[in-house]
Structure formats: C-alpha cells, structure tokens
Amino acid sequence: MIKKIFGFKERKSLENITLNNIQAKMYEIGFNKEFAEEIMIILEKRFNKYGKKEFQEWFNGLHYRVQEELKDELLATKIYEKHSLLIEEQVKELEKETKLPWEIQTEDLKNINEKSKKVQLVIRDRLSGIALDLLT
C-alpha cells in the first residue's frame, strides 16, 4: 500500500522490460520493421554496455526525456530523413492524443532543427509509453 502511494515500483515489475518486449510494443504502436530495428540497435548497445538491471532501470526512468544517444542532432536528422513518413504520422497522432501542436510539445528542445525535434518527440514519447505499458 505504501509503495503505491509514494509511487515506488517493485523491482519485479521491471522484469517485463526486455528488448523483445520493447520491440513487440514498437510494432503494436505502428512502428515499421526498419524504424523499430534502428531504435533497437541503439537500445541493444545500451543493454550490452550496462547490463540487464541497469538497462531496465534506465528505460523505466526515461519519463519523456530524450535518450542521450538521440540528443545528437545529426543522428536525429538522419533518422527523420530515412523515416519521414512514419515520423510525420506519429507526430500527427501525438497532436491528436495531447491536443497540443508538436511545437508546444517540443518547447524544451532548444537550438535544434525541426526534423530533429520531431524525431526526439516521437521517440521519447513512444518509448516512455512503452515503459509504462510494460510495468502494468
């Protein structure tokens, strides 16, 4: 009861945060295979570098923040250029869900180009949503 009140998560609940489950959720929300695999490469590198437990805690703790790897404007722009249709579709969906234009949703992302902002918005929102889904 106290854990629920203060928002503590039982360690056991992090067990659902696996690379396979994350990838399956990406497909569920409409990411195509190529885009999901590109994101999975980034996640797998982090998993291999830090190990299972630390990866699970990190992924659970994203809370709508941009992954360190995607703060690189050049990388985010490349992702946009390869997957612009998917990114634009997801941005429109996020605008519907939040009832806010994407520009408002990305106000915290300063000094980067529009393409990078859109990629970072989509990935941070969708990965944070996946983390929440995997905890329930």
Side-chain angles (χ1 to χ4, degrees), residues 14-22 39-59 67-69:
L14 294 180
E15 290 300 314
N16 287 331
I17 297 177
T18 65
L19 293 173
N20 287 337
N21 288 346
I22 293 167
I39 302 307
M40 289 306 298
I41 289 168
I42 295 167
L43 296 177
E44 286 169 357
K45 283 180 184 176
R46 180 171 278 275
F47 181 90
N48 292 335
K49 184 175 181 179
Y50 295 105
K52 179 181 174 181
K53 295 287 183 209
E54 196 168 323
F55 173 82
Q56 289 170 326
E57 289 172 6
W58 167 82
F59 192 82
Q67 292 174 269
E68 293 83 1
E69 296 86 350

Side-chain angles (χ1 to χ4, degrees), residues 72-85:
D72 178 351
E73 186 175 3
L74 185 59
L75 174 62
T77 301
K78 280 183 181 178
I79 291 172
Y80 180 90
E81 289 170 355
K82 282 176 70 178
H83 306 285
S84 60
L85 293 175

Side-chain angles (χ1 to χ4, degrees), residues 106-112 117:
T106 59
E107 283 181 338
D108 61 315
L109 303 174
K110 307 254 188 260
N111 303 320
I112 60 172
K117 283 183 180 184

